[in-house]
Structure formats: C-alpha cells, structure tokens
Amino acid sequence: MKEIIVASTNSGKIREIKAMLDQIGIEVKSVKDVLGYNPDIEETGTTFVENALIKAETVMKLVNRPVLADDSGLEVDALDRKPGIYSSRWMGEDTSYDIKNQKIIDLVNASGKPRTARFICAMALCEPGQKPITIEESFEGEIYDHIAGENGFGYDPIFYFPPLHKTSAEMSMEEKNEHSHRAKALKKLYKILKEKD
Ligand code: IMP
C-alpha cells in the first residue's frame, strides 16, 4: 500500500496519522485533498467500530482507494458508559466543554458510583476488494473531582490518569502520545501495515 486517504476533517488527527505512516513510506492524504470537499456522513452505528467502518466504507466507495477512518469518545461507568459514541453531540454540539465537563463531574458525584472511565478509539481501514481491518484501543482512567489542565481538548480536563497523577489536560503531548487511546490504535495500525508489506 502506497497511499491512504483519511476520512476525517480534523487536521490534528491527520497530522498524527501522517507522522506515524510516513515512517513506513505510506503517503497520507485527507478526503478533502482527493475529493475537493468533505462528504457529510451520518454516524448511524451503535459502536465506535461500526461508526469508523461506516465512515471508511462510504469514503472508499467514493474514491476507490484505501481509506482509514476513526471514531472516538469517552465512556463513564457511573453513567452507564455515556456519553460514549455520542461524546461530541452530548448536551448539544454547541455546548462548551466547560459546561459538559462540570455536568459529568456533578453526575458522577451524585451517583456515588465508582469514578472509572475510559477514552476509546476505533479505527477502520477499508481497501477496495479486501476485508476491512478494524482496531479498538482504550485509555483507562477516572473522572476527576474538578476541571484541571489546559492542554488537549474535549474531556481531557476531567480525565484523571492515576499512573501519572495528572489529568489528560495536564499531560504533555509526549505523555499523551505514549498512553492515549488514539496513539495506541495508531501504533497497532502501524504494526499491521508494516507486517502486511
Ligand atoms: P470524534 O472521534 O472526532 O467523533 O470525537 C469524538 C469526541 O470524543 C470528541 O469530540 C471529544 O469530545 C471526545 N474525545 C475523543 N478523544 C478525546 C481525547 O483524546 N481527549 C478528549 N476528548 C476526546
């Protein structure tokens, strides 16, 4: 495989994937580079893997080349694994993460249940005429009792990682790249593609 099209509009994710796959000589392009626009794809799956597959398959049919897609989110055990696949849509796309994060802390406090939580990242690679490859990795932690840290995005300021005694928003980029769900999934993908060639 010489080239992979990434079915994402997120430039940060595309940059991370590029950095990893450059090392094995695979050129990474965004779907916008190839089609000139970002197709609007409805995430109708019930799991992270299903949603990653829907995105990768839809774009593969449009470009007829290998396509990689990912889907990620936060599962909070005390909230029956919510927000889960609805992480970006939970409480509305336009609600700030300061509000969403405080709401999660309040709900977990009120539940009296264990504070365990995890970020999940699923990836799907679809190649024309081949069986899709899927990967799912997690980043295990806890919901902190307050918002802390300036790095990262989304739910990082309430996601406490006990081994480093920090929230994910207090971790450096290097630390997050060592432990995160997305970094682990990318490392697995790198290994699979390296063995494939
Ligand atoms: P998507 O994979 O782009 O659909 O992102 C799903 C949502 O999950 C994001 O908008 C964030 O709310 C959340 N999320 C996924 N990964 C992370 C992370 O590494 N840190 C913080 N929030 C995350």
Side-chain angles (χ1 to χ4, degrees):
M1 197 184 303
K2 297 242 174 321
E3 175 196 74
I4 283 181
I5 318 294
V6 179
S8 172
T9 52
N10 181 323
S11 55
K13 277 187 195 171
I14 296 169
R15 205 168 335 117
E16 283 179 22
I17 295 170
K18 235 181 195 147
M20 190 69 88
L21 299 187
D22 256 4
Q23 300 172 39
I24 46 173
I26 296 178
E27 197 183 342
V28 172
K29 290 182 180 160
S30 77
V31 59
K32 198 165 177 213
D33 290 339
V34 177
L35 289 177
Y37 66 97
N38 281 311
D40 196 13
I41 304 168
E42 232 192 307
E43 296 180 19
T44 52
T46 56
T47 63
F48 292 104
V49 166
E50 271 178 30
N51 279 336
L53 266 174
I54 289 168
K55 289 186 251 185
E57 266 167 2
T58 308
V59 174
M60 185 194 72
K61 284 181 188 149
L62 292 171
V63 299
N64 202 32
R65 280 137 86 170
V67 173
L68 176 71
D70 86 332
D71 196 50
S72 58
L74 175 71
E75 287 185 351
V76 180
D77 290 331
L79 308 181
D80 297 326
R81 299 197 167 183
K82 286 188 191 77
I85 57 167
Y86 301 106
S87 290
S88 53
R89 292 168 269 176
W90 192 66
M91 290 183 78
E93 297 258 9
D94 296 333
T95 305
S96 77
Y97 275 93
D98 277 346
I99 293 175
K100 294 190 200 202
N101 282 334
Q102 191 56 52
K103 182 76 181 175
I104 290 184
I105 292 171
D106 293 345
L107 289 171
V108 170
N109 285 348
S111 77
K113 292 183 181 165
R115 308 187 72 88
T116 47
R118 69 203 55 77
F119 281 120
I120 303 275
C121 176
M123 288 194 174
L125 177 66
C126 290
E127 260 189 275
Q130 301 216 16
K131 228 175 114 205
I133 294 170
T134 59
I135 296 164
E136 188 177 277
E137 287 289 327
S138 69
F139 177 21
E140 301 285 336
E142 292 168 11
I143 299 302
Y144 209 28
D145 59 2
H146 63 277
I147 290 170
E150 305 289 332
N151 306 332
F153 67 100
Y155 299 102
D156 281 329
I158 55 164
F159 186 79
Y160 181 74
F161 184 57
L164 293 185
H165 308 287
K166 287 177 182 176
T167 67
S168 172
E170 293 172 312
M171 287 164 68
S172 66
M173 180 78 95
E174 290 71 29
E175 287 169 334
K176 197 171 172 197
N177 280 346
E178 198 181 327
H179 302 284
S180 88
H181 47 317
R182 197 166 298 103
K184 283 186 207 160
L186 264 177
K187 278 176 202 157
K188 208 167 197 178
L189 174 76
Y190 174 86
K191 214 170 148 242
I192 291 171
L193 290 175
K194 216 170 155 192
E195 281 164 8
K196 218 166 166 257
D197 278 344

Short mmCIF file of all heavy atoms in Angstrom, two decimals, residues 13 43 55 70-74 87-88 97 119 153-156 176 181-182, ligand 1:
data_model
loop_
_atom_site.label_atom_id
_atom_site.label_comp_id
_atom_site.label_asym_id
_atom_site.label_seq_id
_atom_site.Cartn_x
_atom_site.Cartn_y
_atom_site.Cartn_z
N LYS A 13 -5.78 15.17 13.85
CA LYS A 13 -5.76 13.70 13.67
C LYS A 13 -4.98 13.33 12.42
O LYS A 13 -4.18 12.40 12.44
CB LYS A 13 -7.20 13.20 13.47
CG LYS A 13 -7.98 12.97 14.72
CD LYS A 13 -9.30 12.31 14.37
CE LYS A 13 -10.27 12.39 15.51
NZ LYS A 13 -11.61 11.96 15.15
N GLU A 43 -23.32 9.25 11.23
CA GLU A 43 -22.78 8.16 12.06
C GLU A 43 -23.95 7.41 12.69
O GLU A 43 -24.39 7.74 13.77
CB GLU A 43 -21.84 8.75 13.12
CG GLU A 43 -20.63 9.41 12.48
CD GLU A 43 -19.67 10.01 13.48
OE1 GLU A 43 -19.71 9.65 14.68
OE2 GLU A 43 -18.86 10.85 13.07
N LYS A 55 -17.78 5.27 8.13
CA LYS A 55 -17.05 6.39 7.52
C LYS A 55 -16.05 5.89 6.48
O LYS A 55 -15.98 6.41 5.37
CB LYS A 55 -16.33 7.20 8.60
CG LYS A 55 -17.26 8.00 9.49
CD LYS A 55 -16.49 8.90 10.43
CE LYS A 55 -16.56 8.44 11.85
NZ LYS A 55 -15.94 9.31 12.85
N ASP A 70 -11.57 6.99 11.79
CA ASP A 70 -11.58 6.67 13.22
C ASP A 70 -12.82 7.24 13.89
O ASP A 70 -13.50 8.10 13.33
CB ASP A 70 -10.29 7.14 13.90
CG ASP A 70 -10.35 8.57 14.35
OD1 ASP A 70 -11.07 9.36 13.73
OD2 ASP A 70 -9.66 8.93 15.33
N ASP A 71 -13.12 6.70 15.06
CA ASP A 71 -14.22 7.22 15.86
C ASP A 71 -13.80 7.08 17.31
O ASP A 71 -13.24 6.05 17.70
CB ASP A 71 -15.50 6.43 15.59
CG ASP A 71 -16.72 7.20 16.09
OD1 ASP A 71 -16.84 8.40 15.76
OD2 ASP A 71 -17.54 6.63 16.82
N SER A 72 -14.03 8.13 18.10
CA SER A 72 -13.57 8.06 19.48
C SER A 72 -14.56 8.71 20.43
O SER A 72 -15.49 9.39 19.99
CB SER A 72 -12.19 8.73 19.61
OG SER A 72 -12.27 10.07 19.17
N GLY A 73 -14.35 8.49 21.72
CA GLY A 73 -15.23 9.10 22.71
C GLY A 73 -14.89 8.65 24.11
O GLY A 73 -13.96 7.86 24.32
N LEU A 74 -15.67 9.18 25.07
CA LEU A 74 -15.44 8.90 26.49
C LEU A 74 -16.57 8.04 27.04
O LEU A 74 -17.75 8.38 26.86
CB LEU A 74 -15.40 10.24 27.26
CG LEU A 74 -15.29 10.14 28.78
CD1 LEU A 74 -13.89 9.65 29.20
CD2 LEU A 74 -15.58 11.49 29.43
N SER A 87 -20.22 11.29 22.27
CA SER A 87 -19.36 12.24 23.01
C SER A 87 -19.36 13.66 22.45
O SER A 87 -19.41 14.62 23.20
CB SER A 87 -17.93 11.72 23.10
OG SER A 87 -17.91 10.60 23.97
N SER A 88 -19.26 13.80 21.12
CA SER A 88 -19.22 15.18 20.61
C SER A 88 -20.61 15.80 20.59
O SER A 88 -20.74 17.01 20.72
CB SER A 88 -18.55 15.25 19.23
OG SER A 88 -19.16 14.35 18.36
N TYR A 97 -17.26 22.74 26.41
CA TYR A 97 -16.75 21.61 27.21
C TYR A 97 -16.62 21.98 28.69
O TYR A 97 -16.65 21.09 29.53
CB TYR A 97 -15.44 21.06 26.62
CG TYR A 97 -15.73 20.06 25.53
CD1 TYR A 97 -15.79 20.45 24.21
CD2 TYR A 97 -16.03 18.74 25.84
CE1 TYR A 97 -16.12 19.55 23.20
CE2 TYR A 97 -16.36 17.83 24.84
CZ TYR A 97 -16.40 18.23 23.52
OH TYR A 97 -16.73 17.33 22.56
N PHE A 119 -11.27 6.54 27.58
CA PHE A 119 -11.41 7.01 26.21
C PHE A 119 -11.25 5.80 25.31
O PHE A 119 -10.41 4.92 25.58
CB PHE A 119 -10.30 8.00 25.85
CG PHE A 119 -10.51 9.40 26.37
CD1 PHE A 119 -9.59 9.98 27.23
CD2 PHE A 119 -11.61 10.15 25.97
CE1 PHE A 119 -9.76 11.28 27.69
CE2 PHE A 119 -11.80 11.44 26.43
CZ PHE A 119 -10.87 12.00 27.29
N PHE A 153 -7.96 18.71 24.57
CA PHE A 153 -9.25 19.22 24.11
C PHE A 153 -10.36 18.40 24.77
O PHE A 153 -10.09 17.45 25.52
CB PHE A 153 -9.34 19.14 22.57
CG PHE A 153 -9.36 17.73 22.03
CD1 PHE A 153 -10.56 17.13 21.64
CD2 PHE A 153 -8.20 16.97 21.93
CE1 PHE A 153 -10.59 15.83 21.16
CE2 PHE A 153 -8.22 15.66 21.47
CZ PHE A 153 -9.42 15.09 21.08
N GLY A 154 -11.58 18.74 24.43
CA GLY A 154 -12.74 17.94 24.84
C GLY A 154 -12.78 17.61 26.32
O GLY A 154 -12.74 18.49 27.19
N TYR A 155 -12.83 16.32 26.62
CA TYR A 155 -12.98 15.87 28.01
C TYR A 155 -11.64 15.70 28.74
O TYR A 155 -11.61 15.22 29.87
CB TYR A 155 -13.76 14.54 28.03
CG TYR A 155 -15.16 14.66 27.45
CD1 TYR A 155 -15.44 14.21 26.16
CD2 TYR A 155 -16.20 15.24 28.17
CE1 TYR A 155 -16.72 14.32 25.61
CE2 TYR A 155 -17.48 15.35 27.64
CZ TYR A 155 -17.73 14.90 26.36
OH TYR A 155 -18.99 15.02 25.82
N ASP A 156 -10.54 16.10 28.12
CA ASP A 156 -9.22 15.93 28.75
C ASP A 156 -9.12 16.52 30.17
O ASP A 156 -8.54 15.89 31.06
CB ASP A 156 -8.11 16.53 27.87
CG ASP A 156 -7.72 15.61 26.72
OD1 ASP A 156 -7.81 14.38 26.88
OD2 ASP A 156 -7.34 16.13 25.66
N LYS A 176 0.84 12.11 26.48
CA LYS A 176 -0.44 11.66 25.91
C LYS A 176 -0.19 10.69 24.75
O LYS A 176 -0.89 9.69 24.60
CB LYS A 176 -1.30 12.86 25.46
CG LYS A 176 -2.75 12.45 25.29
CD LYS A 176 -3.72 13.59 25.05
CE LYS A 176 -5.08 12.99 24.69
NZ LYS A 176 -5.99 13.93 24.06
N HIS A 181 -5.59 6.44 23.84
CA HIS A 181 -6.35 5.53 23.01
C HIS A 181 -5.97 5.68 21.54
O HIS A 181 -5.75 4.70 20.84
CB HIS A 181 -7.85 5.81 23.22
CG HIS A 181 -8.23 7.28 23.16
ND1 HIS A 181 -7.47 8.25 23.76
CD2 HIS A 181 -9.24 7.93 22.53
CE1 HIS A 181 -8.02 9.44 23.53
NE2 HIS A 181 -9.09 9.27 22.78
N ARG A 182 -5.87 6.95 21.07
CA ARG A 182 -5.58 7.19 19.65
C ARG A 182 -4.15 6.77 19.31
O ARG A 182 -3.90 6.15 18.28
CB ARG A 182 -5.81 8.66 19.33
CG ARG A 182 -5.93 8.95 17.85
CD ARG A 182 -6.48 10.35 17.57
NE ARG A 182 -7.80 10.53 18.10
CZ ARG A 182 -8.09 11.20 19.23
NH1 ARG A 182 -7.14 11.79 19.90
NH2 ARG A 182 -9.32 11.30 19.65
P1 IMP B 1 -14.59 12.08 17.03
O1 IMP B 1 -13.80 10.83 17.09
O2 IMP B 1 -13.91 13.15 16.22
O3 IMP B 1 -16.02 11.85 16.66
O4 IMP B 1 -14.57 12.72 18.51
C1 IMP B 1 -15.42 12.28 19.50
C2 IMP B 1 -15.41 13.13 20.75
O5 IMP B 1 -14.89 12.34 21.80
C3 IMP B 1 -14.59 14.40 20.73
O6 IMP B 1 -15.31 15.48 20.22
C4 IMP B 1 -14.31 14.58 22.23
O7 IMP B 1 -15.46 15.09 22.86
C5 IMP B 1 -14.16 13.15 22.70
N1 IMP B 1 -12.75 12.72 22.65
C6 IMP B 1 -12.21 11.77 21.85
N2 IMP B 1 -10.88 11.65 22.08
C7 IMP B 1 -10.60 12.56 23.05
C8 IMP B 1 -9.38 12.91 23.70
O8 IMP B 1 -8.28 12.41 23.42
N3 IMP B 1 -9.47 13.88 24.64
C9 IMP B 1 -10.65 14.49 24.97
N4 IMP B 1 -11.81 14.21 24.38
C10 IMP B 1 -11.78 13.23 23.43
#
